[in-house]
Amino acid sequence: MDGVLGHLMALERDGMGQQDQHESQRLEMLKVRAVTLRAQRDQLKHQADAVKVRRILKDKISKDLPLDDVDAAGGFIDLQKSLLTAWRMQLKDLQRAHHLIGGYDLVECKEGKSVCVSFHTAFEGVYLETYNMELDLTRTVQISRHNIPPSFPLESIAKQILQKDLKAFLQTLSQKLNAFAGRRQQVCLLKELVGSVEVMESNQLCNILVLMCTAQGETPKAVLCTLEYGDLTQCLPTRVSIECEDKTLSESPQWKKNQSLLLESPAHTALLTMRRMGSIA
Amino acid sequence: MEQKYEEEIQMLQQEIEMLEAEQEETLRSIFIEHGDRLQHELKSVFEERGGAQKPALSKLITEVRELEKDLRRQTEINGIALNECFVKTLHKSERKLVQQLRLAGHCSVLLFQVEFAVTEIQEDDALRRRVTELNIVVDGVEFKDFSAFVSRVEDTKDLLLFFRTLRTFSERCEERRQTFQHFQEKYPDVVSLPEGCRSELMIIRSPQLPGTSMTIFWKIDVSMEGVVKPSLELLLKMSDQAREFDTKKVMENGSNYFQSLLQILGVEASIEGLIRTVCS
């Protein structure tokens, strides 16, 4: 940076125009950036070459070939360095693996007085929100901070399990948050994929969903589907009711089948199937 | 002039990306190559204390120690131990990362092998990540009714559900194993576990009443949605002789009686109760 400033001052002394000054400033910055990147590239290349040297050295060792002094001196430290660096890479990979499989990513804060955990959620392979929580461990285990939605029954879950069994608490919370994220995602997906169906009612906790579909037929008829999710650990409804002005329609075998579909598969999947089969618009 | 620098900068950035990717792969291949021996070799590195500690390595050693400590922490809280972790980067650019991972490990005594592919795309406001392939292999006598769940999870690519369910499942299996083992040790003459303590069968037999036995089936069901449900059933076998004297219709009512007992006393006390009837 000194070089840049010096150069700028020199330019100023030369009495260059305002415009020219801007241009040379930019030019200088580009030049500096290029130099920095060149240095980084060279260092990486040097490291790569060093690895090749180490491999040759290792090879010599394993084949009991004689080592010359140059080999031995620099070689051994480099060997240990490459092993350590390789081990570090593996450890980082393991950390990432724990993270990807939905681990809690526990971090100790405040010298062990509290811990932060993350709850990763996913639905059908797509990772969704991550919720975080800080737990104070000083006397009893207390939740000090979190970003879990207020509609979520966090207090009641904490009251039941937190003091007795921390891992069970985390497990229950993770299960319920994932189910919640899954239910919410289904609503997003059905809005996106099945535009012909209207969401009449849904709530914060996504445990009730009322949909208006248009049944195909001689005259299209409106059908109201109410999905109740009684089990908050699940993404599927516990009760589905079909309502239509035309009673013969709602009682028909086709709509009994649709009712089962809505009970057994995610909402967007069921509706897409119903549309594909010509049951709804 | 500016353009010349801009071009060079872009070229250098690409070169650096490539070199960094190469370096990662080299490090990973060193680990695979030296595998078991690595730990052994590293031990000597760590044990060099005092004067012999090379300043060039000490920062690296500290970093490695910290990573190992953190890994122990994650293993403990997640209840999942990973013994093997192979990562292959298929594509890496500024905004996109595609990797294949192969993991092997265990959750308590339950072994698993999981292979999956994950794609990460950096969009303006968020990182979008998704699992695009998933293959799961589980090993252990406990897993005989697990395959429907595994198939479903592979179809829906629900990696997280698999591990959540595995944890819960392993806890229920552990409870069963400990309970069975406890009773076998306490009443060795009466209780037998013909398929081992990790199976679902426990047989109670009295030496005084040959031909009569009580078999407890402690099943742990896993639904396709990952709901883990233990259920216990009692099967009574009586010799023909004993059945003639079965005035109280124990054979018929025994199973229902056991279910009521379970509701009132819980598993351990109910099994204890059954054993006691045979002992006295």
Side-chain angles (χ1 to χ4, degrees):
Chain A
M1 263 353 235
D2 269 352
V4 180
L5 263 127
H7 205 102
L8 284 175
M9 282 163 73
L11 290 170
E12 211 164 276
R13 264 184 272 124
D14 287 352
M16 293 179 92
Q18 189 74 326
Q19 244 253 324
D20 290 336
Q21 240 178 19
H22 277 313
E23 274 178 20
S24 356
Q25 271 179 24
R26 176 158 161 77
L27 198 67
E28 274 308 309
M29 296 223 270
L30 285 176
K31 200 167 158 192
V32 165
R33 180 126 173 85
V35 164
T36 314
L37 287 177
R38 243 179 266 149
Q40 197 184 356
R41 191 270 320 266
D42 291 342
Q43 193 193 38
L44 282 168
K45 261 201 161 154
H46 172 80
Q47 284 170 359
D49 290 337
V51 170
K52 293 194 188 91
V53 168
R54 279 172 229 147
R55 292 206 127 138
I56 297 170
L57 176 67
K58 253 260 144 168
D59 206 43
K60 280 189 183 175
I61 296 174
S62 61
K63 288 182 182 156
D64 272 329
L65 293 170
L67 305 171
D68 52 54
D69 292 328
V70 176
D71 276 339
F76 273 120
I77 294 184
D78 277 351
L79 197 68
Q80 292 181 327
K81 189 164 176 211
S82 81
L83 288 178
L84 275 172
T85 318
W87 180 228
R88 184 179 64 181
M89 181 91 248
Q90 169 72 257
L91 290 170
K92 288 200 159 149
D93 281 346
L94 281 163
Q95 267 183 333
R96 180 163 158 79
H98 271 281
H99 172 80
L100 288 173
I101 64 176
Y104 301 114
D105 293 345
L106 188 123
V107 176
E108 277 181 15
C109 332
K110 301 182 186 148
E111 295 136 20
K113 290 198 203 133
S114 71
V115 291
C116 286
V117 286
S118 301
F119 298 97
H120 300 290
T121 61
F123 181 68
E124 291 186 338
V126 178
Y127 287 77
L128 303 165
E129 296 266 342
T130 295
Y131 299 98
N132 302 298
M133 177 181 285
E134 186 178 357
L135 292 158
D136 188 50
L137 304 171
T138 35
R139 275 173 301 121
T140 53
V141 186
Q142 297 272 0
I143 303 174
S144 50
R145 285 186 298 169
H146 69 88
N147 66 347
I148 291 174
S151 55
F152 208 79
L154 180 60
E155 274 78 46
S156 66
I157 301 172
K159 219 161 113 178
Q160 278 175 10
I161 325 172
L162 186 55
Q163 300 311 321
K164 278 189 284 183
D165 191 342
L166 176 64
K167 279 198 207 165
F169 170 72
L170 296 176
Q171 177 87 330
T172 307
L173 206 51
S174 178
Q175 207 183 17
K176 291 197 159 141
L177 283 169
N178 267 278
F180 162 67
R183 293 192 301 269
R184 196 175 56 179
Q185 180 74 342
Q186 283 175 59
V187 177
C188 291
L189 287 170
L190 75 90
K191 281 182 181 165
E192 198 183 299
L193 302 170
V194 202
S196 54
V197 170
E198 205 182 315
V199 176
M200 305 298 291
E201 197 186 311
S202 108
N203 63 352
Q204 293 268 8
L205 208 54
C206 298
N207 63 345
I208 191 128
L209 189 59
V210 182
L211 305 167
M212 173 103 92
C213 318
T214 311
Q216 300 276 57
E218 285 171 14
T219 46
K221 298 194 176 91
V223 180
L224 212 67
C225 305
T226 305
L227 282 69
E228 287 168 45
Y229 298 82
D231 185 351
L232 289 183
T233 65
Q234 294 303 306
C235 292
L236 293 177
T238 43
R239 216 171 89 103
V240 171
S241 37
I242 311 280
E243 282 161 60
C244 182
E245 260 181 24
D246 181 351
K247 291 286 178 222
T248 53
L249 188 83
S250 44
E251 300 296 308
S252 68
Q254 190 192 83
W255 276 92
K256 285 290 170 204
K257 201 160 152 225
N258 288 343
Q259 191 181 27
S260 300
L261 265 177
L262 286 165
L263 273 167
E264 290 157 15
S265 43
H268 62 293
T269 313
L271 291 166
L272 283 170
T273 306
M274 280 154 66
R275 188 170 69 181
R276 204 174 51 235
M277 300 204 306
S279 197
I280 62 168
Chain B
M1 190 62 176
E2 267 186 29
Q3 203 193 7
K4 189 176 136 224
Y5 277 128
E6 278 169 3
E7 280 172 13
E8 193 190 350
I9 286 171
Q10 215 194 16
M11 198 197 74
L12 283 168
Q13 280 173 332
Q14 282 178 355
E15 230 186 306
I16 287 171
E17 245 174 53
M18 202 191 69
L19 284 165
E20 281 178 340
E22 247 178 59
Q23 191 181 57
E24 263 187 28
E25 287 315 302
T26 306
L27 288 173
R28 287 193 178 120
S29 69
I30 291 178
F31 179 75
I32 294 173
E33 218 177 287
H34 296 283
D36 314 311
R37 279 175 52 214
L38 197 88
Q39 284 302 323
H40 178 72
E41 308 244 7
L42 285 175
K43 240 182 116 180
S44 57
V45 173
F46 291 140
E47 274 157 18
E48 274 169 37
R49 282 288 124 113
Q53 181 92 144
K54 297 131 196 157
L57 292 182
S58 64
K59 187 167 159 238
L60 195 51
I61 292 176
T62 314
E63 209 187 323
V64 163
R65 288 308 206 193
E66 276 304 313
L67 284 168
E68 284 175 344
K69 192 168 148 200
D70 182 67
L71 210 52
R72 277 192 292 271
R73 220 179 276 145
Q74 304 312 328
T75 302
E76 157 63 27
I77 195 75
N78 295 338
I80 305 280
L82 296 173
N83 305 329
E84 245 176 57
C85 172
F86 295 120
V87 180
K88 192 160 153 201
T89 303
L90 298 178
H91 173 99
K92 186 170 177 181
S93 61
E94 203 184 315
R95 296 201 159 235
K96 190 169 171 189
L97 175 68
V98 182
Q99 286 183 322
Q100 272 179 344
L101 282 91
R102 194 174 91 221
L103 308 174
H106 59 94
C107 180
S108 156
V109 297
L110 304 178
L111 304 175
F112 62 83
Q113 264 175 66
V114 173
E115 259 179 55
F116 64 99
V118 64
T119 301
E120 282 179 13
I121 299 178
Q122 182 68 50
E123 283 173 15
D124 301 308
D125 54 338
L127 181 74
R128 303 240 177 271
R129 181 190 285 155
R130 66 184 307 155
V131 173
T132 51
E133 274 163 45
L134 181 56
N135 279 303
I136 297 170
V137 174
V138 287
D139 196 14
V141 71
E142 293 87 341
F143 287 119
K144 50 191 263 280
D145 298 315
F146 215 63
S147 51
F149 167 67
V150 169
S151 296
R152 170 62 80 89
V153 140
E154 283 177 339
D155 281 341
T156 56
K157 317 276 184 285
D158 211 332
L159 180 64
L160 269 59
L161 179 64
F162 171 69
F163 280 104
R164 275 201 310 279
T165 308
L166 183 66
R167 256 199 297 266
T168 310
F169 182 66
S170 118
E171 279 165 25
R172 300 288 88 78
C173 288
E174 187 59 20
E175 278 163 17
R176 178 178 65 188
R177 191 190 66 77
Q178 282 184 7
T179 310
F180 276 1
Q181 204 162 22
H182 162 80
F183 283 116
Q184 197 200 27
E185 283 165 17
K186 195 169 170 189
Y187 302 101
D189 302 324
V190 171
V191 171
S192 75
L193 303 171
E195 289 173 17
C197 60
R198 284 171 63 169
S199 76
E200 44 181 43
L201 269 186
M202 174 163 108
I203 303 186
I204 303 169
R205 245 190 292 255
S206 164
Q208 280 102 16
L209 301 167
T212 304
S213 69
M214 294 191 273
T215 306
I216 297 179
F217 287 95
W218 186 335
K219 289 190 200 292
I220 302 175
D221 244 337
V222 180
S223 78
M224 287 209 282
E225 285 81 39
V227 180
V228 180
K229 211 176 84 165
S231 65
L232 280 89
E233 261 171 50
L234 179 68
L235 188 71
L236 283 161
K237 263 209 282 225
M238 274 184 164
S239 64
D240 295 324
Q241 271 185 316
R243 213 172 303 179
E244 273 177 56
F245 294 102
D246 185 14
T247 46
K248 291 203 183 139
K249 300 251 182 275
V250 174
M251 267 293 275
E252 271 170 45
N253 302 324
S255 312
N256 295 334
Y257 171 66
F258 183 57
Q259 294 301 328
S260 321
L261 215 60
L262 282 173
Q263 302 264 26
I264 306 168
L265 298 177
V267 175
E268 237 185 90
S270 307
I271 299 181
E272 179 98 40
L274 278 183
I275 298 175
R276 290 291 181 84
T277 62
V278 166
C279 286
S280 49

